[in-house]
Amino acid sequence: MADRLDYGEGTDAQQFVFLLPEYLKDTSKKMKTGLMFVKLVNPCSGEGALYLFSMCLQQLFEIKLFKEKHHSWFINQSVQSGGLLYFATPIDPLFLLLHYLIKADKEGKFQPLDQVVVDDMFPNCILLLKLPELEKLLQHVTEEKGNPEIDKKKYYKYSREKTLKWLGKKVNQTMAALKTSNINVGARVQSNAFFSSHQISSDKEEDYICYAHGLISDYIPKELNDDLSKYLKLPEPSASLPKPPSKKVKLSHEPIEAKEDYTKFNTKDLKTEKKNSKMTTAQKALAKVDKTGMKSIDSFFGTKIF
Amino acid sequence: MESGDEEGVEKRRVHLRPDTLRSATPATLHLLPCDVPVNRPAPVGSFFTPAIRQGPEGLEVSFRGRSLRGEEVEVPPGLAGYVMVMEEKEEVLVRKQGFPQGSDNDEQQQELLEPPEAALERDFDRVIRASGSFSHFTVWGLETAPGPDAKVRAALTWPSLAAAIHAQVPGD
């Protein structure tokens, strides 16, 4: 056996180096199948992404790939090119469900979930319907209707307001985690460490929210992300679109022009100013932040999987 | 058409054998700071491993005449490392006929499965299994140790962050 392992597995086949949650090993005692890699939609890009689904735990894990240039593995008595490292971590399935709810919302009506979660490209999306406590999850992002007298079926409709509120909470809990971990949230923090020390705390707070928002934005479509930026009163990301500085301060739902041209949009401008005055000191400070600290998960990982 | 669709779904699933997560034997992994562009057996134990020395600044070895400095990296708590390999189709076929290398609880497994899934899984397309397990590996840098700023270390902080991102938010 040892011999076989040392030299045997030595075909030219590809070996995958994975980090999995430890508890998957324990649940494997109960089942010999029911753990599978499936391709499902990436809720941010709409393209395909790899996930791990546990039938036994009824849990979904996303697969992230760490990939850095010029690396390779020695695995026992073999060499494996690329030096790739795969991570399987639990994902909140609501992000994926949201993708379908937003798509179905174009029809503008209440629908049962099995009519919402349909996908010709990724037929495995039916696995999402097997997840436990779906009704409870959906409360965060939908309005629901049901008539218990007729059937037990519930009908759902995407709610933008509820979703933003839910995402706001997500950003907050991610910020909390960033603060307790030792993650550097931005180049700013590092450079500040060399200069004035009293600035660190205030800058950090801004960097944390931008960083947390950046992490969440990898799980939601672009349009919703723009709404979330407004909801969190974040400045426009400077990295993605180089815009004139004036446009960076996009704080309200008012058109940009209102801010730029005082003569033409007098009334609107007043409204904008009023909203600005309502902001807390922290929010005002936020508006000035450039988003160099906003890092997406891709800064850790490559994108190509399998 | 109906059955054709089902087959289509099947083809997009790669089944991981959960029992192999327990039977996988410990593996030794080194992450090198260079890409060897092949996947094949290599006499690591004859050339690489015996040359590893404990130097004043960590582990030392050389590969192709270049000096490497290394350090042990632990798999983050709550995670387990696995090396996985795809099984060949023929291998899958043999195993499907009575699970020859399965242990005593084949029947138990059949019972635990919900009938529709059992039907789906009878004809799955690919199977992957864990061939090795690890709880730490050695990261090597060229001339100097990878250090705390190594990208792979940043990646290893991801699971704890992901846990926070994907934790359920409290209701109203």
Side-chain angles (χ1 to χ4, degrees), chain B residues 20-81:
Chain B
T20 62
L21 295 181
R22 276 175 295 130
S23 61
T25 40
T28 309
L29 278 80
H30 298 275
L31 186 57
L32 303 175
C34 60
D35 195 6
V36 184
V38 291
N39 304 328
R40 69 157 79 124
V44 178
S46 308
F47 294 94
F48 191 79
T49 321
I52 298 176
R53 299 269 177 275
Q54 181 69 52
E57 288 156 51
L59 300 169
E60 298 173 4
V61 79
S62 65
F63 181 60
R64 292 181 179 168
R66 308 289 293 266
S67 152
L68 307 184
R69 293 282 179 280
E71 48 201 26
E72 289 286 303
V73 171
E74 296 292 320
V75 167
L79 292 175

Side-chain angles (χ1 to χ4, degrees), chain A residues 291-302:
Chain A
K291 281 212 184 175
T292 46
M294 193 183 109
K295 238 185 246 178
S296 87
I297 300 164
D298 288 342
S299 58
F300 290 162
F301 302 100

Side-chain angles (χ1 to χ4, degrees), chain A residues 53 57-60 91-98 100-101 111-117 124-144 154-157 162 166, chain B residues 168:
Chain A
F53 184 82
L57 294 167
Q58 297 191 297
Q59 198 179 1
L60 190 65
I91 181 171
D92 188 340
L94 204 42
F95 287 117
L96 272 77
L97 292 165
L98 203 52
Y100 293 104
L101 287 161
Q111 292 185 80
L113 201 58
D114 54 5
Q115 284 176 31
V116 172
V117 185
N124 277 308
C125 69
I126 50 166
L127 291 171
L128 293 173
L129 301 173
K130 293 181 195 291
L131 296 167
E133 298 194 301
L134 274 184
E135 291 190 6
K136 208 173 135 199
L137 280 179
L138 288 166
Q139 282 173 8
H140 290 296
V141 297
T142 60
E143 305 288 348
E144 62 175 53
K154 289 242 171 103
Y155 297 81
Y156 299 94
K157 189 178 183 302
K162 281 182 142 185
W166 172 70
Chain B
Q168 291 306 313

Side-chain angles (χ1 to χ4, degrees), chain A residues 1-220:
Chain A
M1 183 65 200
D3 274 346
R4 199 181 140 238
L5 195 102
D6 284 352
Y7 290 100
E9 307 282 354
T11 56
D12 295 356
Q14 186 164 3
Q15 300 178 81
F16 304 92
V17 181
F18 260 94
L19 294 184
L20 301 181
E22 224 166 10
Y23 56 76
L24 281 177
K25 187 176 168 181
D26 300 327
T27 57
S28 71
K29 280 175 194 153
K30 292 179 210 147
M31 270 205 189
K32 292 187 78 188
T33 57
L35 198 56
M36 56 204 178
F37 293 99
V38 290
K39 215 163 191 187
L40 297 173
V41 72
N42 173 327
C44 176
S45 68
E47 287 165 10
L50 197 72
Y51 297 85
L52 179 65
F53 184 82
S54 164
M55 204 72 95
C56 174
L57 294 167
Q58 297 191 297
Q59 198 179 1
L60 190 65
F61 304 85
E62 69 172 324
I63 308 295
K64 290 274 180 197
L65 171 56
F66 170 77
K67 189 181 181 182
E68 195 181 1
K69 259 192 182 174
H70 311 304
H71 280 82
S72 51
W73 288 108
F74 277 160
I75 303 169
N76 291 331
Q77 306 303 314
S78 70
V79 59
Q80 175 65 50
S81 76
L84 309 181
L85 180 57
Y86 295 87
F87 289 76
T89 52
I91 181 171
D92 188 340
L94 204 42
F95 287 117
L96 272 77
L97 292 165
L98 203 52
H99 167 85
Y100 293 104
L101 287 161
I102 292 173
K103 227 164 83 179
D105 190 49
K106 301 214 164 76
E107 295 170 44
K109 58 183 182 192
F110 286 83
Q111 292 185 80
L113 201 58
D114 54 5
Q115 284 176 31
V116 172
V117 185
V118 277
D119 200 326
D120 293 339
M121 287 269 284
F122 309 107
N124 277 308
C125 69
I126 50 166
L127 291 171
L128 293 173
L129 301 173
K130 293 181 195 291
L131 296 167
E133 298 194 301
L134 274 184
E135 291 190 6
K136 208 173 135 199
L137 280 179
L138 288 166
Q139 282 173 8
H140 290 296
V141 297
T142 60
E143 305 288 348
E144 62 175 53
K145 266 186 191 171
N147 192 340
E149 283 170 28
I150 299 171
D151 55 13
K152 280 181 191 162
K153 219 164 191 177
K154 289 242 171 103
Y155 297 81
Y156 299 94
K157 189 178 183 302
Y158 168 64
S159 160
R160 186 179 159 275
E161 293 68 35
K162 281 182 142 185
T163 301
L164 286 175
K165 206 173 154 193
W166 172 70
L167 288 170
K169 287 179 185 172
K170 281 272 179 195
V171 169
N172 280 336
Q173 76 186 23
T174 305
M175 269 175 77
L178 285 170
K179 283 179 186 173
T180 53
S181 64
N182 290 321
I183 293 166
N184 274 333
V185 289
R188 245 165 196 276
V189 177
Q190 288 170 335
S191 57
N192 269 335
F194 296 103
F195 304 112
S196 65
S197 56
H198 71 275
Q199 253 193 335
I200 289 178
S201 57
S202 66
D203 272 357
K204 256 191 175 171
E205 189 68 17
E206 297 151 11
D207 283 342
Y208 278 123
I209 193 167
C210 289
Y211 196 102
H213 170 250
L215 289 170
I216 300 289
S217 70
D218 275 356
Y219 295 96
I220 53 176

